[in-house]
Amino acid sequence: MKLNERSVAHYALSDSPADHVGFLRTWGGPGTPPTPSGTGRRCWFVLKGNLLFSFESREGRAPLSLVVLEGCTVELAEAPVPEEFAFAIRFDAPGVRPHLLAADGPAAQEAWVKALSRASFGYMRLVVRELESQLRDARQSLALHRRSSWKAVTSRCKPQAPDRWSPGLENGHTLSRDCSPTGLVEEGGSRPAGRGLAEWELQGPANLLLGRGQSPVSPETSCFSTLHDWYGQEIMELRRAWLQRAQGSRPEREGQDRP
C-alpha cells in the first residue's frame, strides 16, 4: 500500500474528530523508533477511522508512526514489564510483526481494544449487513401485520347482496351489525342522561366513534358503509329533532283552527 506522506500528515493534524485518543506505551513495530530498554516508549496515540497515529507528545506536529487497521485482530497480550495492561495488534500477513501496546489501567485497556476492533471497514460492513437484515425483517413484519389487519376489516365489513325485503335495507345494500347506524349508536353510546338535545347536536357524530378510539380514516373504519354512517349521524340526529318539534307543534295548530 502506497500513501502520500503529506496527505496523511495533514489528515492526522486536521480538525476532523478523532474516534479515540490517549497515551499508550509501545514496544516497537513497523515505523516505531526502538527503545534502549525494555520499559517501552510512552507516546500519544490518535485513532481516526481505520488509521492509528502516534506522536511524541500531545502537542506533537509530526506523526511518529501510522498503523492501517485492516486485516488485523486486536487481543490481550503480556507486556515485557509486569503490571502493564497490554494488548497487541496482529496482522494476518506473514512476516509482519505485531504492535505491542499497553494502557495505564484496565478501563483504558478495554476502551482501546473495543475502539481498535471496531475501526476496520470489514467490521463496518458486517454492521451494515446486520442493520440491513434487521430492516428487511421489520418491513416484512409490518407488511404481514397490515395485510392481516386489512383482511380482518374487509371480512367484518364485507357488503351483502341487496334484498328489497331485508329489514336493514339502506341505499341498496344491507349494513352489517358492526357497520350499522344502530350498532354505532348502541356501542358508542346514546345521548347521555342530563344533557340537552342541543348540546348533543353540537357534538355531532364524533362522540360516537371517538369514544371507541376509532377514526373515519383508520383501518378499522375503511369500508364505505362505516364512513357513510360516520358522516351521516349528525344529519340523522338533526332530522330526528326536526320531526319531534314538528309533531309537537301540530296539535297546537289544530286547536287554533277549531272555532
Side-chain angles (χ1 to χ4, degrees):
M1 178 184 296
K2 294 183 179 180
L3 299 175
N4 188 297
E5 294 184 4
R6 295 182 58 183
S7 300
V8 172
H10 176 74
Y11 177 66
L13 300 174
S14 64
D15 296 333
S16 60
D19 297 311
H20 204 74
V21 296
F23 282 103
L24 293 174
R25 192 171 298 276
T26 176
W27 281 268
T32 304
T35 55
S37 62
T39 58
R41 183 172 186 174
R42 185 177 172 85
C43 300
W44 177 257
F45 283 82
V46 177
L47 175 63
K48 288 188 174 183
N50 63 340
L51 303 179
L52 179 63
F53 300 94
S54 66
F55 296 86
E56 185 71 28
S57 63
R58 190 193 300 264
E59 294 79 16
R61 304 303 301 173
L64 296 177
S65 65
L66 168 64
V67 180
V68 181
L69 300 170
E70 294 295 337
C72 63
T73 57
V74 183
E75 55 189 30
L76 301 181
E78 294 184 1
V81 180
E83 299 181 359
E84 290 286 352
F85 301 92
F87 55 93
I89 303 175
R90 303 183 185 276
F91 291 87
D92 299 333
V96 180
R97 290 186 302 167
H99 293 265
L100 185 60
L101 306 170
D104 295 333
Q109 179 191 42
E110 181 180 0
W112 271 110
V113 170
K114 288 183 177 180
L116 296 175
S117 301
R118 301 171 181 175
S120 66
F121 282 109
Y123 177 82
M124 295 301 298
R125 281 194 295 266
L126 293 177
V127 173
V128 171
R129 290 175 183 175
E130 179 64 23
L131 293 177
E132 290 177 347
S133 176
Q134 294 180 8
L135 179 60
R136 192 183 309 110
D137 295 341
R139 287 177 175 175
Q140 293 177 357
S141 177
L142 180 60
L144 291 176
H145 175 71
R146 289 179 175 176
R147 192 178 298 111
S148 60
S149 299
W150 176 254
K151 289 182 179 179
V153 171
T154 53
S155 62
R156 184 178 60 185
C157 300
K158 185 177 181 180
Q160 301 178 2
D163 186 1
R164 70 176 68 183
W165 295 282
S166 176
L169 186 64
E170 180 177 341
N171 290 338
H173 66 278
T174 303
L175 299 180
S176 62
R177 182 183 181 277
D178 294 337
C179 302
S180 63
T182 306
L184 293 175
V185 173
E186 292 177 356
E187 295 181 8
S190 57
R191 184 177 63 183
R195 292 189 179 182
L197 180 61
E199 182 181 358
W200 179 253
E201 292 174 355
L202 289 177
Q203 289 182 354
N207 188 40
L208 296 174
L209 290 179
L210 287 179
R212 301 169 56 191
Q214 295 185 359
S215 168
V217 296
S218 65
E220 289 77 7
T221 58
S222 58
C223 59
F224 172 77
S225 58
T226 305
L227 294 175
H228 179 273
D229 298 335
W230 172 280
Y231 293 106
Q233 287 300 310
E234 186 175 2
I235 298 176
M236 294 174 60
E237 290 292 337
L238 293 175
R239 185 175 182 275
R240 189 180 297 108
W242 176 78
L243 291 176
Q244 292 179 357
R245 289 193 296 268
Q247 292 177 358
S249 61
R250 185 177 302 173
E252 296 180 358
R253 293 179 180 177
E254 294 179 356
Q256 292 178 359
D257 293 340
R258 295 178 181 177

